[in-house]
Amino acid sequence: MGEETLSNTEKQVLLALNEHGGRATPEEVMQTTDLEMVKVMNASSWLQSKGLVTMHEELRSHYQITGEGKRFLSRGLPEENVLQLVLDGVADFASLQKKTDDLGIAVGWLRRKGWCDIQRRDGEKALVPTEDGEKALASPLPEKAVLQAVSQGREVPDEQVLRELVQRGAVEEKECIVRTIMLTERGREAAAAGLEITDEIVQLTPQLIRSGEWRKKEFRPYDVRAFAPAAFPGKRHPLMQLVERIRRIFVEMGFTEITGGFVESCFWDMDVLFIPQDHPARDMQDTFYCSHPASMEVDKKLLRTIARVHENGGDTGSQGWGYTFSPREAERVLLRTHTTVNTIRYLAHNPEPPAKIFSIGKVFRKENIDSTHLPEFYQVEGIVYEEDADFGELIGILHQFYAKMGFRELRFRPSYYPYTEPSMDVEARWQGKWMELGGSGIFRPEVTEPLGIQHPVLAWGLGLERMALNMLDVQDIRELYLSDIQWLQRQPLL
Ligand code: PHE
């Protein structure tokens, strides 16, 4: 390890440890180096991460004198004081009471220690010293020796007395962490090789610049290889970061965002999009229908127009699907199965061109959960509505979008949606196979004409989670929703 990778404080700590024979407490290092505690601890953990020291922590309990203990030392123990009074001739309770606050406690201890008996004289209670009591105060009380030892952090001479003092609240047991910093073999070598403490500038301050002081000093060079601890600050969920990035890309490309609700009518989710009412996607197996409420009112006029388009094409020039449209089916309530519902409603309400609109939101389908399917997932939806919009432009937009998202290997395939013609799917290379990312196309006249839309509408609906698989290098789409904290911490900022 080159010397340039050690800061001055680190060097000081290494040298201090060396002076202490290779191991010391932070307090000792503090005294030797004249550094503040935080600096010592900071430097030590850096040294530890560089393999030059190790740090140990040990939980130790120790005894501490309490306020009561200190009073015992300065004013004597209650039994000591009362015994003194008794020996001095003040023996009856009434007189003793006047001279002491804690006569009860004192009497208790005097009897327990066998220093006094209680006798009645002339109907009055009085204390009479025993033989032991007569001698008890000839030498200092063992309690005081123990209290002194505790308060000076010395070894306690009598464990039994110590326990008693703990019970009496004069001493308490405290736990503390004792830290030791030790030089490793490499630390020893580094210290032995000698470390030069230079007067170097670690951080440039306005003072240093103003005073011109910086000219006379060395700057500590940056060490880009220096160890840095991993930091895990709070951040957004990777999927939400992805949403944010997609949002930025579309805004950059001149699009405006719209939103919508999760609960929709069949009418807006499917009928307006010319999805026949017997389409398999409408099946109970595929769509989540709501039962409260089970139906939802729909604009009657538009409903009639759309019914005719389904039945015979209405004024669109199409032959329609040739079945009898059910208004009741149209009014059923469901959880939106795609966000195309947002863009088509936008168009219905804003039939004047041009428009470049996008929407990012959750959709719901009764999918079996597996590594690439979820019953709830995000779609990235968009439309371009303008006079000369064409299929080439659609490919161009999707290409540009995915390129901005970092996708290299893409392919576009002919596909089918009841509401677009032509239709196209986007696929990306994932784990050696092509994975479908989403659908797109140009809305059919059966969709646009009843809404008063005169120009081509390019439309697409892309899966977010599948994009995430690629970008976050995740094997299984379910991992995105596991909330595995370690996985989340490791995710880069996108
Ligand atoms: N709505 C289609 C889906 O859910 C995607 C799509 C959107 C296809 C717009 C064509 C046009 O997969």
Side-chain angles (χ1 to χ4, degrees):
M1 166 151 325
E3 215 185 270
E4 76 277 12
T5 58
L6 295 180
S7 73
N8 263 344
T9 2
E10 288 162 19
K11 288 179 194 169
Q12 278 172 279
V13 170
L14 273 187
L15 291 174
L17 287 171
N18 203 34
E19 246 175 72
H20 281 276
R23 62 185 296 155
T25 63
E27 289 76 11
E28 287 167 332
V29 174
M30 231 172 100
Q31 276 170 4
T32 318
T33 56
D34 229 1
L35 290 169
E36 294 159 40
M37 185 50 111
V38 247
K39 292 229 166 117
V40 171
M41 292 313 287
N42 261 343
S44 302
S45 42
W46 282 101
L47 288 169
Q48 170 155 273
S49 62
K50 291 172 185 175
L52 298 178
V53 309
T54 53
M55 289 202 274
H56 293 271
E57 284 186 355
E58 200 188 320
L59 197 63
R60 276 200 214 146
S61 62
H62 71 121
Y63 292 98
Q64 214 173 40
I65 188 159
T66 64
E68 180 83 336
K70 283 182 194 152
R71 260 192 306 283
F72 283 2
L73 271 182
S74 61
R75 293 202 230 129
L77 279 72
E79 65 270 28
E80 179 186 13
N81 296 337
V82 171
L83 180 60
Q84 192 59 60
L85 287 170
V86 171
L87 294 176
D88 291 347
V90 188
D92 64 297
F93 272 52
S95 318
L96 285 169
Q97 196 89 57
K98 277 181 213 141
K99 300 201 176 224
T100 58
D101 301 329
D102 35 23
L103 185 61
I105 296 170
V107 172
W109 282 100
L110 284 170
R111 302 204 51 201
R112 197 159 146 183
K113 292 185 173 174
W115 288 352
C116 282
D117 290 327
I118 298 175
Q119 284 185 3
R120 279 192 178 276
R121 291 188 198 151
D122 314 327
E124 282 265 8
K125 277 204 273 185
L127 288 174
V128 180
T130 61
E131 219 171 289
D132 277 351
E134 299 278 5
K135 293 179 289 187
L137 302 185
S139 47
L141 296 187
E143 280 90 343
K144 288 197 165 165
V146 169
L147 284 172
Q148 226 115 39
V150 168
S151 66
Q152 290 161 3
R154 282 187 284 110
E155 184 142 2
V156 169
D158 190 327
E159 287 289 329
Q160 172 63 32
V161 173
L162 176 69
R163 272 192 294 278
E164 238 169 55
L165 285 169
V166 171
Q167 269 171 18
R168 294 182 76 169
V171 170
E172 62 189 352
E173 206 174 345
K174 278 264 160 94
E175 294 211 311
C176 67
I177 296 172
V178 179
R179 293 193 173 84
T180 324
I181 312 167
M182 283 185 269
L183 285 179
T184 62
E185 203 39 53
R186 277 176 54 211
R188 250 177 236 285
E189 282 163 21
L195 297 163
E196 195 196 342
I197 313 266
T198 48
D199 191 9
E200 58 182 18
I201 297 176
V202 179
Q203 202 158 18
L204 199 54
T205 61
Q207 287 81 356
L208 279 170
I209 297 174
R210 223 177 288 127
S211 63
E213 195 72 1
W214 63 274
R215 286 177 212 279
K216 293 177 230 144
K217 293 194 179 180
E218 292 272 317
F219 283 89
R220 176 155 147 71
Y222 281 120
D223 178 8
V224 290
R225 293 154 311 163
F227 164 87
F232 298 116
K235 57 185 179 213
R236 289 200 180 196
H237 191 281
L239 272 182
M240 292 304 106
Q241 291 183 42
L242 213 53
V243 166
E244 207 41 63
R245 184 161 156 192
I246 292 168
R247 186 169 278 142
R248 266 204 310 273
I249 290 177
F250 276 110
V251 169
E252 246 170 51
M253 288 167 67
F255 285 77
T256 303
E257 185 171 9
I258 57 164
T259 55
F262 292 162
V263 178
E264 288 286 353
S265 61
C266 280
F267 184 72
W268 281 108
D269 194 87
M270 300 182 186
D271 296 330
V272 175
L273 287 164
F274 198 53
I275 301 174
Q277 291 189 326
D278 58 0
H279 192 277
R282 298 214 185 195
D283 203 302
M284 293 289 280
Q285 303 301 315
D286 290 304
T287 299
F288 290 106
Y289 289 95
C290 301
S291 31
H292 301 290
S295 75
M296 180 185 260
E297 222 177 305
V298 168
D299 181 276
K300 286 284 175 303
K301 193 162 158 252
L302 190 56
L303 184 75
R304 272 195 300 278
T305 311
I306 298 298
R308 281 184 52 225
V309 175
H310 279 240
E311 291 176 348
N312 54 36
D315 304 329
T316 63
S318 160
Q319 296 183 352
W321 295 112
Y323 69 94
T324 310
F325 186 87
S326 156
R328 285 199 45 203
E329 185 62 29
E331 288 178 342
R332 285 179 79 184
V333 178
L334 47 69
L335 294 181
R336 71 180 178 205
T337 61
H338 52 186
T339 39
T340 317
V341 62
N342 289 352
T343 44
I344 198 63
R345 201 205 322 261
Y346 176 86
L347 283 172
H349 294 146
N350 304 274
E352 287 304 314
K356 287 171 84 178
I357 297 296
F358 77 100
S359 169
I360 307 172
K362 251 192 184 169
V363 301
F364 306 85
R365 290 181 198 173
K366 281 193 184 165
E367 301 269 14
N368 284 326
I369 298 181
D370 63 30
S371 62
T372 51
H373 291 90
L374 291 171
E376 279 186 43
F377 59 96
Y378 278 88
Q379 274 194 330
V380 178
E381 191 82 29
I383 48 164
V384 168
Y385 171 34
E386 62 192 9
E387 206 173 326
D388 300 319
D390 62 19
F391 206 63
E393 184 179 355
L394 176 62
I395 295 180
I397 289 169
L398 293 176
H399 234 303
Q400 193 181 2
F401 167 70
Y402 281 110
K404 282 176 187 268
M405 292 299 282
F407 281 81
R408 299 277 164 270
E409 271 190 282
L410 282 183
R411 89 178 174 187
F412 298 90
R413 296 208 319 160
S415 180
Y416 173 78
Y417 295 95
Y419 36 96
T420 48
E421 181 59 38
S423 305
M424 175 175 82
D425 277 351
V426 189
E427 295 184 346
R429 205 72 182 151
W430 186 65
Q431 309 210 319
K433 283 187 276 185
W434 289 102
M435 177 171 62
E436 192 198 313
L437 290 183
S440 64
I442 302 183
F443 281 146
R444 290 168 71 129
E446 289 93 331
V447 175
T448 50
E449 283 188 18
L451 302 176
I453 295 159
Q454 303 106 15
H455 301 297
V457 179
L458 314 177
W460 56 88
L462 318 169
L464 175 79
E465 285 83 350
R466 290 189 179 180
M467 236 183 292
L469 285 184
N470 241 306
M471 303 185 62
L472 301 173
D473 197 21
V474 168
Q475 303 300 312
D476 188 316
I477 214 160
R478 288 167 287 198
E479 283 178 38
L480 298 172
Y481 288 98
L482 283 182
S483 297
D484 173 343
I485 193 79
Q486 274 172 2
W487 180 80
L488 288 170
Q489 282 178 336
R490 279 199 314 268
Q491 292 315 300
L493 291 170
L494 293 173

